[in-house]
């Protein structure tokens, strides 16, 4: 009993409670649900308890070929229950019809079971594969009065019985079974328990992909198992449903079903019948009107993985043509165009560029991919290359962004300066279908703050008046702190704290970066309550909208403002995991910074104008030193900071020279003894001062 998962505890208690209840005769229990939801697990657990209570247990699992063999599904368990083989259907009287002989057989079996001694549990798993004779016999036994205590548990998928045109049998079965148990899907916390992982971003993604289905959750950790699971499910579908399912997978996790006839080439009636079949198999779910979605995103992933390349390309081309004809949004057309566009296709480049402009703030990963594809289709377009580098900068992938810049002159100016020129060169009205022009201006102010152009950024803040009031106030806090105007920062923070509680998540979702600025500014001003509220609010929005770009800095903020060292350590570990997923060297550095170094070591903030003194450690050297103190090897440090091992060795050599030490243990002891009172850049020793400007190597959000 201790091994039963909490998600199935209530169903398990109902099943075992039935075994222990006082009654006579036959009682039926139906365990019904989608594939992988835990039906068989509950049936097996019940059988184990029954055996421990002294019941006679007769169990079997029907297989697909048994549909054509009379009584094949029940031959084994009836032999166990009767202590003999199944009585022969043959009769010496040739005048007896097959129906009469069948009823006589039912009487013989019923009488034999009733005359037996002890309590009996019969479990028939996958009843949907059983032959009609076995199914009718079960229905007959469930309705027959007996002296002996007998429990018959049947496990089946209702959709497959309907598909096999066993509606009459199913109706009788549902009337005869007194208890019906439908195992539910797991919650996110239960998914974490099942997977044996901490409840964090990884579990959240797996839980959403599997929609709480235990079998899919376990298969997500092993791609080959997920592929096999998808192939088994698709083998149960008709050819028309398989075609519709493949087209649906290409359209997205949710999609407009009215597109399917044009994409598949099937008529509307055939498509509707296929959709009904997919709905009955719990593969799709209806949303509203003709909009559908995959019940388990992991299944869609498996369909895409098993789809032949030629089929995928054909469906993508049909989807791109139909969506273009309907004048759909570029972000809807782009995933199909990028798969089928050919070299020199200017129209495809226009679609990809427009889609990237729209997705630049909500989905920068897709925007970067589309711009990269556009640059390959029409090589040599500087505007595309700079735009691609700009999006890579947003993702924190600075080395890739530098390489994407087309000319050495641009690379010499720094990626932030190139990004600023991109923002300034294309007026908002020239960008088609931008969701909100204010987002572009907000992005411009952020980049100016990162470049240390605080006065220019402050002067632009009044132009953000059409944005939610929280956004300009949060940026004002950061700009004022950077300019050394602490009183103005305090006043802006007072307004920001109130607005944080009154602004809706929908209004803040496009401007998550402003929440990071507000939280770190609050921490710098010793407003820990606001810092915690900002971190928790930002993470809640990220969980809702799925934008993982800012998770690492928000987790760092939550760690720095945590009430206990234990909470801080656990949260910082999550921040490092989030930083690795983004692939940002800046975020990796940020996760090894300290609150005292907020505005100099954090990945989205700035460094001092003066170069570091010869005896001071740079930010990267400081990060290396702290990892050494944590016991990390050179290889582990290189992985954490996205460096080569040779670069780590050079950093250590310079650290040893500056600190006049020669061993790693001496460095670890020095880190532990001094804590945050390190020789920081420009000779800082703890608290961050207000007069800071950005120079040298670029930073990113």
């Amino acid at each position: 009993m201790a091994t039963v998962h909490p998600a199935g505890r209530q169903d398990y208690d109902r099943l075992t409670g039935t075994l222990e209840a006082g009654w006579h005769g036959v009682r039926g229990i139906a365990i019904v649900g989608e594939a992988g939801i835990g039906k068989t697990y509950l049936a097996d657990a019940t059988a184990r308890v029954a055996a421990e209570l002294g019941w006679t247990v007769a169990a079997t699992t029907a297989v697909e070929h048994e549909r054509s063999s009379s009584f094949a599904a029940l031959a084994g368990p009836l032999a166990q229950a009767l202590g003999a083989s199944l009585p022969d259907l043959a009769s010496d009287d040739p005048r007896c019809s097959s129906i009469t002989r069948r009823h006589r057989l039912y009487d013989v079996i019923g009488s034999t079971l009733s005359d037996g001694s002890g309590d009996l549990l019969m479990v028939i798993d996958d009843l949907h594969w059983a032959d009609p004779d076995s199914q009718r016999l079960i229905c007959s036994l469930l309705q027959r009065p007996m002296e002996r205590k007998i429990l018959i548990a049947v496990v089946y998928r209702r959709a497959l019985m309907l598909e096999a045109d066993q509606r009459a049998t199913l109706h009788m079965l549902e009337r005869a079974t007194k208890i019906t148990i439908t195992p539910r899907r797991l919650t996110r916390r239960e998914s974490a328990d099942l997977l044996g992982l901490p409840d964090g971003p990884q579990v959240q993604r797996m839980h959403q992909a599997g929609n709480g289905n235990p079998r899919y959750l376990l298969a997500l950790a092993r791609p080959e198992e997920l592929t096999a699971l998808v192939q088994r499910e698709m083998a149960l579908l008709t050819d028309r449903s398989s075609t519709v399912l493949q087209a649906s997978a290409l359209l997205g996790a949710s999609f407009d079903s009215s597109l399917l006839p044009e994409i598949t080439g099937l008529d509307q009636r055939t498509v509707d019948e296929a959709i009904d079949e997919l709905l009955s198999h719990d593969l799709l779910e209806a949303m509203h009107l003709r909009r559908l979605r995959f019940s388990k995103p992991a299944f869609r992933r498996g369909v895409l993985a098993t789809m032949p390349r030629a089929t995928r390309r054909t469906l993508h081309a049909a989807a791109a043509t139909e969506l273009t004809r309907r004048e759909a949004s570029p972000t809807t057309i782009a995933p199909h165009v990028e798969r089928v566009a050919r070299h020199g296709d200017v129209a495809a480049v226009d679609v990809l560029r427009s889609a990237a402009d729209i997705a630049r703030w909500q989905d920068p990963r897709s925007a970067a991919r589309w711009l990269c594809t556009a640059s390959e289709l029409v090589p040599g377009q500087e505007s595309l290359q700079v735009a691609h580098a700009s999006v890579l900068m947003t993702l924190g992938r600075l080395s890739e962004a530098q390489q994407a810049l087309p000319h050495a002159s641009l690379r010499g100016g720094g990626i932030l300066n190139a990004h600023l020129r991109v923002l300034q060169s294309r007026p908002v009205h020239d960008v088609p279908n931008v969701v909100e022009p204010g987002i572009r201006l907000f992005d411009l102010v952020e980049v100016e703050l990162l470049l240390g152009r605080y006065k220019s950024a402050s002067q632009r803040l009044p132009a953000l008046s059409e944005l939610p009031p929280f956004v300009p106030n949060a940026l004002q806090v950061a700009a004022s702190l950077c300019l050394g105007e602490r009183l103005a920062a305090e006043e802006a923070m007072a307004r920001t704290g109130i607005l944080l509680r009154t602004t809706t998540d929908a209004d803040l979702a496009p401007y998550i970066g402003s929440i990071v600025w507000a939280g770190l500014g609050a921490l710098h001003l010793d407003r820990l309550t606001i810092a915690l509220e900002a971190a928790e609010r930002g993470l809640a929005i990220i969980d809702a909208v799925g934008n993982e770009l800012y998770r690492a800095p928000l987790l760092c903020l939550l760690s720095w403002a945590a009430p206990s060292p234990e909470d801080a350590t656990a949260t910082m570990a999550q921040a490092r995991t989030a930083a690795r997923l983004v692939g940002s060297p800046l975020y990796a550095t940020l996760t090894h910074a300290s609150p005292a170094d907020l505005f100099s070591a954090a990945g989205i903030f700035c460094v001092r104008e003066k170069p570091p003194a010869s005896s001071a450690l740079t930010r990267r050297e400081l990060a290396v030193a702290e990892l050494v103190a944590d016991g990390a090897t050179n290889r582990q440090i290189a992985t954490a900071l996205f460096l080569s091992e040779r670069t780590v060795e050079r950093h250590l050599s310079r650290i040893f020279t500056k600190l006049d030490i020669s061993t790693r243990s001496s460095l670890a002891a020095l880190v532990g003894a001094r804590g945050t009172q390190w020789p920081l850049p420009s000779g800082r020793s703890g608290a961050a001062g207000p007069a800071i400007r950005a120079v040298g190597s670029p930073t990113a959000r």
Side-chain angles (χ1 to χ4, degrees):
M1 292 176 64
T3 62
V4 175
H5 195 274
R9 173 61 65 178
Q10 185 175 359
D11 295 332
Y12 176 82
D13 290 342
R14 288 183 66 190
L15 287 167
T16 55
T18 302
L19 292 172
E20 297 169 352
W23 48 273
H24 290 283
V26 179
R27 179 169 292 183
I29 292 180
I31 306 176
V32 186
E34 63 183 276
I37 200 65
K39 306 184 299 297
T40 300
Y41 180 82
L42 285 172
D44 291 346
T46 305
R48 287 195 298 271
V49 173
E52 293 172 0
L53 294 174
W55 286 52
T56 299
V57 178
T60 188
T61 299
V63 294
E64 187 172 359
H65 65 78
E66 290 178 354
R67 280 182 172 171
S68 59
S69 304
S70 295
F71 301 104
L74 286 181
L78 282 176
Q80 297 176 51
L82 298 173
S85 61
L86 190 66
D88 193 353
L89 269 176
S91 171
D92 295 333
D93 190 350
R95 293 171 298 176
C96 291
S97 65
S98 59
I99 296 177
T100 302
R101 290 198 299 271
R102 181 176 293 111
H103 282 290
R104 287 181 178 178
L105 174 67
Y106 291 176
D107 288 338
V108 171
I109 293 174
S111 301
T112 307
L113 287 175
S114 183
D115 293 340
S117 60
D119 301 330
L120 171 65
L121 169 65
M122 291 180 62
V123 179
I124 300 91
D125 197 1
D126 288 343
L127 181 68
H128 44 268
W129 295 127
D131 57 278
D133 287 333
S134 294
Q135 294 173 350
R136 284 193 289 267
L137 176 55
I138 291 171
C139 292
S140 173
L141 293 176
L142 287 171
Q143 299 174 33
R144 182 179 296 272
M146 295 187 188
E147 295 298 325
R148 187 181 182 186
K149 186 175 180 180
I150 299 176
L151 179 64
I152 300 177
V154 290
V155 182
Y156 60 90
R157 292 169 61 180
R158 195 172 188 274
L160 294 183
M161 294 193 69
L162 290 173
E163 181 184 314
D165 200 19
Q166 299 167 343
R167 289 172 175 78
T169 303
L170 180 62
H171 181 64
M172 287 190 296
L173 192 65
E174 290 176 338
R175 291 179 55 188
T177 50
K178 304 301 181 183
I179 300 174
T180 299
I181 291 176
T182 305
R184 64 175 177 84
R185 293 169 177 169
L186 306 183
T187 65
R188 174 174 159 176
R189 185 175 295 276
E190 291 166 348
S191 297
D193 293 340
L194 177 67
L195 295 168
L197 298 172
D199 188 2
Q202 181 183 4
V203 168
Q204 180 188 6
R205 286 190 295 273
M206 296 179 72
H207 174 72
Q208 291 175 343
N211 199 13
N213 184 294
R215 183 183 296 174
Y216 279 88
L217 283 169
L218 295 173
L220 282 169
R222 305 176 184 87
E224 65 282 358
E225 290 189 12
L226 179 61
T227 300
L229 184 57
V230 169
Q231 289 173 336
R232 285 198 300 271
E233 287 297 308
M234 291 190 68
L236 303 177
L237 302 175
T238 59
D239 291 341
R240 69 185 181 192
S241 295
S242 296
T243 300
V244 169
L245 184 66
Q246 290 174 333
S248 301
L250 287 181
L251 288 175
S254 64
F255 57 93
D256 182 358
S257 62
S258 67
L259 293 165
L260 293 173
E262 298 295 335
I263 296 175
T264 60
L266 302 173
D267 60 81
Q268 186 66 58
R269 180 178 178 180
T270 303
V271 169
D272 289 341
E273 291 173 351
I275 289 174
D276 289 340
E277 182 179 347
L278 296 173
L279 290 170
S280 68
H281 280 253
D282 298 311
L283 301 178
L284 297 180
E285 294 177 348
M287 297 176 67
H288 54 82
L289 297 178
R290 296 192 64 83
R291 193 154 192 88
L292 303 172
R293 68 181 177 190
F294 278 81
S295 59
K296 294 173 283 292
F299 186 83
R300 172 178 174 259
R301 186 190 308 172
V303 172
L304 292 173
T306 57
M307 194 185 308
R309 183 176 298 179
T311 301
R312 180 182 297 190
R313 185 174 180 84
T314 301
L315 293 174
H316 271 305
T321 301
E322 178 61 18
L323 289 168
T324 302
R325 187 185 69 81
R326 296 189 181 195
E327 298 181 349
S329 166
T331 54
T332 305
I333 305 174
H336 306 290
V337 169
E338 68 173 324
R339 300 284 185 175
V340 297
R342 298 183 180 276
H343 186 78
D345 190 341
V346 177
V349 170
D350 290 340
V351 170
L352 295 172
R353 177 62 187 266
S354 298
D357 282 327
I358 298 170
R360 162 74 174 77
W361 296 276
Q362 287 79 23
D363 188 5
R365 289 187 182 86
S366 294
R369 190 179 70 249
W370 293 333
L371 287 169
C372 180
T373 302
S375 300
E376 293 171 353
L377 292 175
V378 185
Q381 285 200 10
E382 181 176 314
S383 61
L384 286 175
Q385 293 170 311
V386 173
H388 182 212
S390 175
V391 177
L392 290 173
M393 186 281 304
T394 299
L395 288 167
R397 291 152 58 178
L398 295 188
S399 60
E400 294 179 51
Q402 291 281 9
Q403 294 172 6
L405 289 172
H407 301 300
S409 59
L410 287 174
R411 289 194 290 271
I415 185 61
L416 275 177
N417 284 293
H419 179 45
L420 183 62
R421 287 195 293 275
V422 172
L423 293 172
Q424 293 172 334
S425 63
R426 299 191 70 198
V428 173
H429 58 76
D430 288 343
V431 183
N433 299 314
V434 171
V435 177
E436 186 175 350
I439 299 179
R440 195 175 185 86
L441 183 57
F442 165 74
D443 205 46
L444 179 59
V445 173
E446 271 206 302
V447 172
E448 288 190 326
L449 285 172
L450 294 172
L451 285 168
R453 302 181 182 184
Y454 309 127
K455 288 189 180 296
S456 176
S458 296
Q459 291 170 359
R460 292 185 189 273
L461 290 177
L464 299 178
S465 58
E466 296 184 2
L467 274 60
F470 172 84
V471 177
N473 276 276
L475 296 178
Q476 184 66 64
V477 171
S480 298
L481 282 173
C482 291
L483 290 168
E485 300 170 355
R486 189 178 182 88
L487 181 59
E490 291 278 7
E491 293 175 354
M493 179 53 67
R495 297 190 297 269
T496 301
I498 296 172
L499 292 169
L500 179 63
R501 303 182 185 96
T502 57
T503 307
T504 65
D505 287 356
D507 287 337
L508 289 177
Y511 312 100
I512 301 178
S514 65
I515 301 177
V516 180
W517 286 104
L520 291 173
L523 193 61
H524 192 71
L525 294 170
D526 294 327
R527 305 288 290 274
L528 294 183
T529 301
I530 296 178
L532 281 171
E533 288 179 1
E536 292 170 351
R537 184 73 178 280
L539 290 169
I541 293 174
I542 286 177
D543 289 340
V545 303
N547 183 352
E548 296 292 320
L549 184 60
Y550 288 97
R551 185 178 293 277
L554 283 168
L555 285 170
C556 286
L557 172 61
L558 193 63
S559 173
W560 291 332
S564 69
E566 293 79 11
D567 292 340
T569 301
T571 306
M572 187 57 75
Q574 296 178 26
R576 289 169 182 162
T577 300
R580 286 195 295 271
L581 290 174
V582 172
S584 167
L586 287 166
Y587 282 0
T589 302
L590 171 121
T591 56
H592 292 89
S594 66
D597 205 23
L598 277 183
F599 286 88
S600 63
I604 64 168
F605 294 101
C606 313
V607 295
R608 284 180 172 267
E609 182 175 19
K610 296 180 180 180
S614 60
S615 62
L617 298 186
T618 65
R619 289 185 297 122
R620 183 51 58 89
E621 290 168 354
L622 179 62
V624 170
E626 291 177 345
L627 285 171
V628 169
D630 289 340
T633 64
N634 286 0
R635 176 171 296 182
Q636 291 170 334
I637 295 172
T639 301
L641 299 182
F642 300 88
L643 302 172
S644 67
E645 290 189 50
R646 181 168 297 180
T647 303
V648 172
E649 291 171 0
R650 286 199 297 267
H651 280 309
L652 280 174
S653 177
R654 286 194 292 268
I655 291 170
F656 289 164
T657 300
K658 289 181 179 182
L659 301 180
D660 195 23
I661 56 178
S662 58
T663 63
R664 299 171 78 96
S665 59
S666 299
L667 178 58
L670 194 57
V671 172
R674 296 192 180 186
T676 59
Q677 302 301 313
W678 263 96
L680 301 178
S682 298
R684 292 181 56 207
S685 59
I692 49 182
R693 295 181 58 187
V695 296
S697 59
T699 57
R701 286 175 300 169

